[in-house]
Short mmCIF file of all heavy atoms in Angstrom, two decimals:
data_model
loop_
_atom_site.label_atom_id
_atom_site.label_comp_id
_atom_site.label_asym_id
_atom_site.label_seq_id
_atom_site.Cartn_x
_atom_site.Cartn_y
_atom_site.Cartn_z
N MET A 1 -96.26 -7.49 -23.67
CA MET A 1 -96.49 -7.42 -22.22
C MET A 1 -97.96 -7.49 -21.99
O MET A 1 -98.39 -7.96 -20.98
CB MET A 1 -95.92 -6.23 -21.59
CG MET A 1 -95.61 -6.32 -20.20
SD MET A 1 -94.56 -7.60 -19.67
CE MET A 1 -94.41 -7.38 -17.99
N ALA A 2 -98.78 -6.85 -22.84
CA ALA A 2 -100.17 -6.72 -22.50
C ALA A 2 -100.85 -8.13 -22.72
O ALA A 2 -101.78 -8.48 -21.98
CB ALA A 2 -100.84 -5.83 -23.55
N ALA A 3 -100.31 -8.97 -23.62
CA ALA A 3 -100.76 -10.35 -23.76
C ALA A 3 -100.59 -11.09 -22.56
O ALA A 3 -101.25 -12.04 -22.09
CB ALA A 3 -100.09 -10.94 -24.99
N LEU A 4 -99.33 -10.92 -21.85
CA LEU A 4 -99.02 -11.68 -20.77
C LEU A 4 -100.02 -11.26 -19.60
O LEU A 4 -100.44 -12.17 -18.82
CB LEU A 4 -97.70 -11.38 -20.22
CG LEU A 4 -97.16 -12.10 -18.87
CD1 LEU A 4 -97.23 -13.54 -19.13
CD2 LEU A 4 -95.75 -11.53 -18.54
N ALA A 5 -100.33 -10.03 -19.51
CA ALA A 5 -101.40 -9.56 -18.44
C ALA A 5 -102.62 -10.22 -18.67
O ALA A 5 -103.27 -10.73 -17.70
CB ALA A 5 -101.47 -8.08 -18.45
N TRP A 6 -103.13 -10.29 -19.93
CA TRP A 6 -104.44 -11.05 -20.22
C TRP A 6 -104.29 -12.47 -19.91
O TRP A 6 -105.45 -13.19 -19.68
CB TRP A 6 -104.82 -10.76 -21.72
CG TRP A 6 -105.32 -9.31 -21.89
CD1 TRP A 6 -104.90 -8.33 -22.55
CD2 TRP A 6 -106.71 -8.96 -21.41
NE1 TRP A 6 -105.67 -7.32 -22.50
CE2 TRP A 6 -106.82 -7.62 -21.82
CE3 TRP A 6 -107.67 -9.59 -20.67
CZ2 TRP A 6 -107.85 -6.89 -21.49
CZ3 TRP A 6 -108.80 -8.88 -20.40
CH2 TRP A 6 -108.93 -7.52 -20.72
N LEU A 7 -103.14 -13.21 -19.91
CA LEU A 7 -103.07 -14.54 -19.67
C LEU A 7 -102.92 -14.75 -18.19
O LEU A 7 -103.37 -15.84 -17.71
CB LEU A 7 -101.81 -15.09 -20.35
CG LEU A 7 -101.89 -15.37 -21.80
CD1 LEU A 7 -100.60 -15.73 -22.46
CD2 LEU A 7 -102.99 -16.15 -22.28
N LEU A 8 -102.51 -13.82 -17.47
CA LEU A 8 -102.40 -13.86 -16.04
C LEU A 8 -103.82 -13.82 -15.34
O LEU A 8 -103.98 -14.38 -14.24
CB LEU A 8 -101.41 -12.93 -15.51
CG LEU A 8 -99.94 -13.16 -15.74
CD1 LEU A 8 -99.06 -12.08 -15.14
CD2 LEU A 8 -99.58 -14.57 -15.11
N ILE A 9 -104.70 -13.01 -15.89
CA ILE A 9 -106.07 -12.83 -15.29
C ILE A 9 -106.70 -14.27 -15.17
O ILE A 9 -107.12 -14.56 -14.00
CB ILE A 9 -106.86 -11.81 -16.11
CG1 ILE A 9 -106.18 -10.42 -15.89
CG2 ILE A 9 -108.25 -11.90 -15.63
CD1 ILE A 9 -106.78 -9.41 -16.82
N PRO A 10 -106.78 -15.04 -16.21
CA PRO A 10 -107.50 -16.31 -16.00
C PRO A 10 -106.74 -17.28 -15.30
O PRO A 10 -107.32 -18.09 -14.42
CB PRO A 10 -107.63 -16.93 -17.48
CG PRO A 10 -107.28 -15.87 -18.31
CD PRO A 10 -106.66 -14.77 -17.65
N PHE A 11 -105.45 -17.11 -15.21
CA PHE A 11 -104.56 -18.11 -14.32
C PHE A 11 -104.82 -17.70 -12.81
O PHE A 11 -105.19 -18.73 -12.04
CB PHE A 11 -103.01 -17.81 -14.57
CG PHE A 11 -102.22 -18.47 -13.70
CD1 PHE A 11 -101.87 -19.87 -13.76
CD2 PHE A 11 -101.56 -17.86 -12.69
CE1 PHE A 11 -101.13 -20.58 -12.88
CE2 PHE A 11 -100.71 -18.49 -11.79
CZ PHE A 11 -100.50 -19.75 -11.89
N PHE A 12 -104.88 -16.53 -12.50
CA PHE A 12 -105.20 -16.09 -11.03
C PHE A 12 -106.58 -16.51 -10.71
O PHE A 12 -106.89 -16.87 -9.73
CB PHE A 12 -105.08 -14.61 -10.79
CG PHE A 12 -103.53 -14.32 -10.64
CD1 PHE A 12 -102.86 -13.39 -11.49
CD2 PHE A 12 -102.64 -15.08 -9.77
CE1 PHE A 12 -101.50 -13.06 -11.32
CE2 PHE A 12 -101.24 -14.72 -9.70
CZ PHE A 12 -100.77 -13.79 -10.45
N ALA A 13 -107.61 -16.31 -11.67
CA ALA A 13 -108.94 -16.77 -11.39
C ALA A 13 -109.04 -18.32 -11.27
O ALA A 13 -109.78 -18.67 -10.29
CB ALA A 13 -109.71 -16.27 -12.58
N ALA A 14 -108.24 -19.01 -11.99
CA ALA A 14 -108.17 -20.61 -11.67
C ALA A 14 -107.70 -20.89 -10.36
O ALA A 14 -108.14 -21.76 -9.72
CB ALA A 14 -107.48 -21.16 -12.85
N VAL A 15 -106.57 -20.16 -10.05
CA VAL A 15 -105.94 -20.59 -8.67
C VAL A 15 -106.95 -20.20 -7.60
O VAL A 15 -107.06 -20.90 -6.72
CB VAL A 15 -104.62 -19.77 -8.54
CG1 VAL A 15 -104.09 -19.83 -7.18
CG2 VAL A 15 -103.53 -20.32 -9.58
N GLY A 16 -107.62 -18.91 -7.67
CA GLY A 16 -108.63 -18.62 -6.71
C GLY A 16 -109.75 -19.60 -6.64
O GLY A 16 -110.26 -19.97 -5.52
N ALA A 17 -110.18 -20.10 -7.79
CA ALA A 17 -111.31 -20.93 -7.80
C ALA A 17 -110.89 -22.32 -7.21
O ALA A 17 -111.59 -22.91 -6.45
CB ALA A 17 -111.79 -21.31 -9.11
N GLY A 18 -109.63 -22.74 -7.45
CA GLY A 18 -109.05 -23.97 -6.81
C GLY A 18 -109.10 -23.83 -5.19
O GLY A 18 -109.40 -24.82 -4.64
N ILE A 19 -108.61 -22.73 -4.81
CA ILE A 19 -108.48 -22.42 -3.28
C ILE A 19 -109.87 -22.43 -2.74
O ILE A 19 -110.24 -23.05 -1.71
CB ILE A 19 -107.73 -21.17 -3.09
CG1 ILE A 19 -106.27 -21.40 -3.41
CG2 ILE A 19 -107.82 -20.79 -1.53
CD1 ILE A 19 -105.39 -20.14 -3.39
N TRP A 20 -110.86 -21.73 -3.46
CA TRP A 20 -112.17 -21.68 -2.79
C TRP A 20 -112.76 -23.03 -2.86
O TRP A 20 -113.52 -23.42 -2.01
CB TRP A 20 -112.96 -20.75 -3.83
CG TRP A 20 -114.36 -20.61 -3.31
CD1 TRP A 20 -114.94 -19.90 -2.18
CD2 TRP A 20 -115.53 -21.24 -3.86
NE1 TRP A 20 -116.27 -20.10 -2.12
CE2 TRP A 20 -116.63 -20.80 -3.12
CE3 TRP A 20 -115.72 -22.13 -4.91
CZ2 TRP A 20 -117.96 -21.37 -3.35
CZ3 TRP A 20 -116.83 -22.59 -5.26
CH2 TRP A 20 -118.14 -22.14 -4.53
N GLY A 21 -112.63 -23.80 -4.08
CA GLY A 21 -113.24 -25.14 -4.09
C GLY A 21 -112.69 -26.04 -2.97
O GLY A 21 -113.41 -26.84 -2.44
N SER A 22 -111.46 -26.14 -2.60
CA SER A 22 -110.81 -26.89 -1.68
C SER A 22 -111.32 -26.41 -0.36
O SER A 22 -111.60 -27.36 0.64
CB SER A 22 -109.27 -26.87 -1.75
OG SER A 22 -108.86 -25.67 -1.36
N TRP A 23 -111.63 -25.14 -0.10
CA TRP A 23 -112.14 -24.68 1.17
C TRP A 23 -113.51 -25.09 1.33
O TRP A 23 -113.97 -25.46 2.48
CB TRP A 23 -111.84 -23.13 1.22
CG TRP A 23 -112.54 -22.72 2.47
CD1 TRP A 23 -111.92 -22.66 3.80
CD2 TRP A 23 -113.62 -21.87 2.83
NE1 TRP A 23 -112.63 -22.00 4.76
CE2 TRP A 23 -113.79 -21.53 4.20
CE3 TRP A 23 -114.72 -21.57 1.91
CZ2 TRP A 23 -114.79 -20.86 4.63
CZ3 TRP A 23 -115.78 -20.89 2.46
CH2 TRP A 23 -115.85 -20.52 3.85
N VAL A 24 -114.35 -25.13 0.30
CA VAL A 24 -115.76 -25.38 0.41
C VAL A 24 -115.97 -26.86 0.71
O VAL A 24 -116.79 -27.34 1.40
CB VAL A 24 -116.48 -24.96 -0.82
CG1 VAL A 24 -117.81 -25.62 -1.01
CG2 VAL A 24 -116.67 -23.46 -0.89
N SER A 25 -115.07 -27.79 0.04
CA SER A 25 -115.19 -29.19 0.24
C SER A 25 -114.40 -29.81 1.31
O SER A 25 -114.22 -31.01 1.36
CB SER A 25 -114.76 -29.85 -1.18
OG SER A 25 -113.42 -29.66 -1.29
N ARG A 26 -113.99 -28.96 2.26
CA ARG A 26 -113.17 -29.59 3.32
C ARG A 26 -114.09 -30.50 4.30
O ARG A 26 -115.27 -30.25 4.29
CB ARG A 26 -112.51 -28.38 4.22
CG ARG A 26 -113.63 -27.55 5.00
CD ARG A 26 -113.05 -26.21 5.52
NE ARG A 26 -113.92 -25.55 6.43
CZ ARG A 26 -114.95 -24.75 6.05
NH1 ARG A 26 -115.04 -24.63 4.81
NH2 ARG A 26 -115.66 -24.28 6.86
N ASP A 27 -113.38 -31.22 5.01
CA ASP A 27 -114.09 -32.11 5.87
C ASP A 27 -114.67 -31.54 7.12
O ASP A 27 -113.81 -31.04 7.92
CB ASP A 27 -113.20 -33.36 6.18
CG ASP A 27 -113.85 -34.51 6.88
OD1 ASP A 27 -115.11 -34.62 6.90
OD2 ASP A 27 -113.11 -35.22 7.57
N ARG A 28 -115.91 -31.46 7.41
CA ARG A 28 -116.51 -30.92 8.48
C ARG A 28 -117.20 -31.80 9.54
O ARG A 28 -118.02 -31.46 10.33
CB ARG A 28 -117.49 -29.82 8.10
CG ARG A 28 -116.82 -28.59 7.49
CD ARG A 28 -117.85 -27.67 7.03
NE ARG A 28 -117.84 -27.48 5.60
CZ ARG A 28 -118.90 -26.84 4.98
NH1 ARG A 28 -119.77 -26.28 5.52
NH2 ARG A 28 -118.82 -26.78 3.56
N THR A 29 -116.71 -33.07 9.36
CA THR A 29 -117.49 -34.06 10.21
C THR A 29 -117.11 -33.89 11.76
O THR A 29 -117.75 -34.42 12.51
CB THR A 29 -117.04 -35.55 9.82
OG1 THR A 29 -115.71 -35.62 9.84
CG2 THR A 29 -117.53 -35.70 8.41
N ILE A 30 -115.98 -33.31 11.99
CA ILE A 30 -115.62 -33.17 13.46
C ILE A 30 -116.70 -32.34 14.17
O ILE A 30 -117.20 -32.71 15.29
CB ILE A 30 -114.18 -32.50 13.54
CG1 ILE A 30 -113.18 -33.51 13.10
CG2 ILE A 30 -113.89 -32.21 14.97
CD1 ILE A 30 -111.79 -32.86 12.97
N GLY A 31 -117.01 -31.31 13.64
CA GLY A 31 -118.20 -30.50 14.29
C GLY A 31 -119.43 -31.16 14.38
O GLY A 31 -120.06 -31.15 15.40
N ASP A 32 -119.86 -31.98 13.34
CA ASP A 32 -121.03 -32.73 13.40
C ASP A 32 -120.94 -33.79 14.52
O ASP A 32 -121.96 -34.02 15.20
CB ASP A 32 -121.21 -33.36 12.10
CG ASP A 32 -121.59 -32.44 10.96
OD1 ASP A 32 -121.85 -31.32 11.29
OD2 ASP A 32 -121.42 -32.78 9.76
N ILE A 33 -119.90 -34.45 14.70
CA ILE A 33 -119.76 -35.54 15.62
C ILE A 33 -119.85 -34.90 17.06
O ILE A 33 -120.55 -35.47 17.90
CB ILE A 33 -118.34 -36.15 15.47
CG1 ILE A 33 -118.50 -37.11 14.20
CG2 ILE A 33 -118.06 -37.22 16.74
CD1 ILE A 33 -117.09 -37.56 13.77
N ALA A 34 -119.18 -33.84 17.28
CA ALA A 34 -119.21 -33.20 18.60
C ALA A 34 -120.75 -32.69 18.93
O ALA A 34 -121.14 -32.81 20.00
CB ALA A 34 -118.40 -31.94 18.62
N GLU A 35 -121.40 -32.16 17.80
CA GLU A 35 -122.72 -31.74 18.08
C GLU A 35 -123.70 -32.96 18.35
O GLU A 35 -124.48 -32.83 19.25
CB GLU A 35 -123.30 -31.09 16.75
CG GLU A 35 -124.59 -30.40 17.01
CD GLU A 35 -124.83 -29.50 15.90
OE1 GLU A 35 -124.02 -28.88 15.09
OE2 GLU A 35 -126.13 -29.40 15.44
N LEU A 36 -123.54 -34.11 17.68
CA LEU A 36 -124.19 -35.18 17.97
C LEU A 36 -124.04 -35.82 19.36
O LEU A 36 -124.91 -36.28 19.99
CB LEU A 36 -124.03 -36.27 16.83
CG LEU A 36 -124.53 -35.99 15.49
CD1 LEU A 36 -124.20 -36.97 14.48
CD2 LEU A 36 -126.10 -35.82 15.48
N ASN A 37 -122.67 -35.81 19.80
CA ASN A 37 -122.37 -36.20 21.13
C ASN A 37 -123.08 -35.30 22.23
O ASN A 37 -123.58 -35.78 23.09
CB ASN A 37 -120.97 -36.30 21.33
CG ASN A 37 -120.29 -37.36 20.58
OD1 ASN A 37 -120.85 -38.27 20.21
ND2 ASN A 37 -119.00 -37.16 20.34
N GLY A 38 -123.10 -34.15 21.91
CA GLY A 38 -123.79 -33.15 22.81
C GLY A 38 -125.30 -33.51 22.95
O GLY A 38 -125.87 -33.34 24.04
N TYR A 39 -125.84 -33.73 21.68
CA TYR A 39 -127.36 -34.11 21.78
C TYR A 39 -127.63 -35.32 22.39
O TYR A 39 -128.60 -35.43 23.17
CB TYR A 39 -127.80 -34.21 20.30
CG TYR A 39 -129.20 -34.53 20.28
CD1 TYR A 39 -130.15 -33.57 20.64
CD2 TYR A 39 -129.61 -35.65 19.56
CE1 TYR A 39 -131.57 -33.84 20.62
CE2 TYR A 39 -130.99 -35.99 19.51
CZ TYR A 39 -131.95 -35.13 20.02
OH TYR A 39 -133.26 -35.43 19.89
N ALA A 40 -126.70 -36.34 22.37
CA ALA A 40 -126.83 -37.68 23.14
C ALA A 40 -126.80 -37.50 24.56
O ALA A 40 -127.55 -38.00 25.30
CB ALA A 40 -125.73 -38.61 22.66
N ARG A 41 -125.93 -36.59 25.09
CA ARG A 41 -125.83 -36.18 26.45
C ARG A 41 -127.10 -35.55 26.94
O ARG A 41 -127.60 -35.82 28.02
CB ARG A 41 -124.65 -35.44 26.79
CG ARG A 41 -123.35 -36.14 26.63
CD ARG A 41 -122.04 -35.32 27.20
NE ARG A 41 -121.86 -33.93 26.78
CZ ARG A 41 -121.26 -33.74 25.72
NH1 ARG A 41 -120.52 -34.54 25.01
NH2 ARG A 41 -121.25 -32.38 25.22
N PHE A 42 -127.58 -34.72 26.02
CA PHE A 42 -128.87 -33.92 26.43
C PHE A 42 -130.04 -34.96 26.61
O PHE A 42 -130.73 -34.94 27.55
CB PHE A 42 -129.19 -32.89 25.40
CG PHE A 42 -130.41 -32.28 25.50
CD1 PHE A 42 -130.65 -31.37 26.50
CD2 PHE A 42 -131.61 -32.62 24.72
CE1 PHE A 42 -132.02 -30.67 26.65
CE2 PHE A 42 -132.74 -32.09 24.74
CZ PHE A 42 -132.98 -31.14 25.75
N ARG A 43 -130.11 -35.88 25.66
CA ARG A 43 -131.17 -36.90 25.73
C ARG A 43 -131.00 -37.74 27.00
O ARG A 43 -132.04 -37.99 27.62
CB ARG A 43 -131.12 -37.82 24.52
CG ARG A 43 -131.77 -37.26 23.34
CD ARG A 43 -131.91 -38.40 22.26
NE ARG A 43 -130.89 -39.12 22.28
CZ ARG A 43 -130.28 -39.80 21.29
NH1 ARG A 43 -130.70 -39.62 19.99
NH2 ARG A 43 -129.19 -40.70 21.35
N ASP A 44 -129.81 -38.13 27.24
CA ASP A 44 -129.43 -38.85 28.63
C ASP A 44 -129.98 -38.07 29.77
O ASP A 44 -130.45 -38.73 30.72
CB ASP A 44 -128.22 -39.35 28.70
CG ASP A 44 -127.72 -40.21 27.61
OD1 ASP A 44 -128.59 -40.96 27.06
OD2 ASP A 44 -126.47 -40.50 27.26
N ALA A 45 -129.63 -36.81 29.80
CA ALA A 45 -129.95 -35.99 31.04
C ALA A 45 -131.59 -35.87 31.06
O ALA A 45 -132.02 -35.88 32.26
CB ALA A 45 -129.34 -34.65 30.80
N MET A 46 -132.12 -35.73 29.93
CA MET A 46 -133.72 -35.63 30.01
C MET A 46 -134.29 -36.96 30.48
O MET A 46 -135.37 -36.92 31.06
CB MET A 46 -134.24 -35.17 28.53
CG MET A 46 -134.00 -33.81 28.20
SD MET A 46 -134.76 -32.69 29.22
CE MET A 46 -133.43 -31.90 30.25
N GLU A 47 -133.73 -38.17 30.09
CA GLU A 47 -134.26 -39.28 30.49
C GLU A 47 -134.17 -39.62 32.03
O GLU A 47 -134.96 -40.18 32.65
CB GLU A 47 -133.66 -40.46 29.75
CG GLU A 47 -133.95 -40.63 28.30
CD GLU A 47 -133.22 -41.62 27.55
OE1 GLU A 47 -132.36 -42.43 28.24
OE2 GLU A 47 -133.52 -41.85 26.36
N LYS A 48 -133.09 -38.97 32.66
CA LYS A 48 -132.83 -39.07 34.07
C LYS A 48 -133.57 -37.98 34.94
O LYS A 48 -133.67 -38.12 36.03
CB LYS A 48 -131.37 -38.98 34.39
CG LYS A 48 -130.54 -40.15 33.74
CD LYS A 48 -129.06 -39.95 33.94
CE LYS A 48 -128.31 -40.90 33.31
NZ LYS A 48 -126.82 -40.65 33.36
N ALA A 49 -134.13 -37.09 34.21
CA ALA A 49 -134.94 -36.02 34.95
C ALA A 49 -136.14 -36.52 35.58
O ALA A 49 -136.78 -37.45 35.04
CB ALA A 49 -135.22 -34.87 34.04
N PRO A 50 -136.56 -36.00 36.77
CA PRO A 50 -137.85 -36.46 37.35
C PRO A 50 -138.96 -36.16 36.52
O PRO A 50 -138.95 -35.03 35.86
CB PRO A 50 -137.85 -35.80 38.69
CG PRO A 50 -136.91 -34.53 38.39
CD PRO A 50 -135.97 -34.96 37.45
N SER A 51 -139.94 -37.05 36.39
CA SER A 51 -141.06 -36.82 35.50
C SER A 51 -142.29 -36.22 36.30
O SER A 51 -143.24 -35.75 35.76
CB SER A 51 -141.52 -38.20 34.93
OG SER A 51 -141.93 -39.13 35.90
N GLY A 52 -142.22 -36.28 37.68
CA GLY A 52 -143.31 -35.72 38.48
C GLY A 52 -143.20 -34.35 38.68
O GLY A 52 -142.11 -33.69 38.50
N PRO A 53 -144.25 -33.70 39.29
CA PRO A 53 -144.17 -32.25 39.69
C PRO A 53 -143.08 -31.98 40.79
O PRO A 53 -142.94 -32.81 41.56
CB PRO A 53 -145.53 -31.93 40.04
CG PRO A 53 -146.09 -33.29 40.53
CD PRO A 53 -145.54 -34.26 39.71
N VAL A 54 -142.43 -30.97 40.75
CA VAL A 54 -141.50 -30.66 41.68
C VAL A 54 -142.22 -29.82 42.87
O VAL A 54 -142.97 -28.89 42.52
CB VAL A 54 -140.47 -29.56 41.10
CG1 VAL A 54 -139.42 -29.19 42.13
CG2 VAL A 54 -139.75 -30.25 39.88
N SER A 55 -141.94 -30.34 44.02
CA SER A 55 -142.57 -29.72 45.09
C SER A 55 -141.95 -28.38 45.49
O SER A 55 -140.80 -28.12 45.23
CB SER A 55 -142.60 -30.68 46.41
OG SER A 55 -141.24 -30.89 46.83
N ALA A 56 -142.65 -27.58 46.28
CA ALA A 56 -142.13 -26.26 46.57
C ALA A 56 -140.90 -26.30 47.65
O ALA A 56 -140.14 -25.45 47.69
CB ALA A 56 -143.26 -25.39 47.25
N GLY A 57 -140.87 -27.42 48.34
CA GLY A 57 -139.89 -27.47 49.42
C GLY A 57 -138.59 -28.16 48.89
O GLY A 57 -137.62 -28.18 49.64
N SER A 58 -138.53 -28.63 47.70
CA SER A 58 -137.35 -29.43 47.21
C SER A 58 -136.09 -28.24 46.72
O SER A 58 -136.44 -27.13 46.57
CB SER A 58 -137.66 -30.21 46.09
OG SER A 58 -137.98 -29.41 44.88
N ASP A 59 -134.99 -28.87 46.73
CA ASP A 59 -133.94 -28.02 46.30
C ASP A 59 -133.75 -27.88 44.82
O ASP A 59 -133.01 -27.12 44.25
CB ASP A 59 -132.60 -28.66 46.87
CG ASP A 59 -132.59 -28.43 48.42
OD1 ASP A 59 -133.15 -27.51 48.91
OD2 ASP A 59 -131.88 -29.24 49.03
N ALA A 60 -134.50 -28.63 44.04
CA ALA A 60 -134.40 -28.57 42.59
C ALA A 60 -134.91 -27.27 42.02
O ALA A 60 -135.86 -26.69 42.58
CB ALA A 60 -135.22 -29.73 41.96
N VAL A 61 -134.45 -26.76 41.02
CA VAL A 61 -134.72 -25.44 40.41
C VAL A 61 -135.33 -25.65 39.12
O VAL A 61 -134.81 -26.60 38.33
CB VAL A 61 -133.55 -24.52 40.40
CG1 VAL A 61 -133.87 -23.23 39.64
CG2 VAL A 61 -132.95 -24.31 41.69
#
């Protein structure tokens, strides 16, 4: 029975390493795409922003 316990330790370590490896190598491109789309919207908004000084009487903040 003790030999079985010693064989189960590396087995569980291998299963744990497999689960961890699959979690680490998961596809994370969805978050990157959303972040890049947000950055593109930010750039578009900055291009449309007025370039001159804002007067004190305008409604812009």
Side-chain angles (χ1 to χ4, degrees):
M1 194 67 173
L4 180 62
W6 281 108
L7 289 175
L8 287 177
I9 292 171
F11 174 74
F12 285 125
V15 169
I19 292 171
W20 178 80
S22 65
W23 180 74
V24 167
S25 66
R26 70 190 185 279
D27 187 20
R28 290 183 244 170
T29 58
I30 293 172
D32 292 341
I33 292 171
E35 189 171 327
L36 290 174
N37 287 339
Y39 180 65
R41 287 193 308 270
F42 172 76
R43 280 191 327 214
D44 291 340
M46 288 294 110
E47 288 175 0
K48 294 177 186 174
S51 60
V54 177
S55 64
S58 71
D59 293 330
V61 177

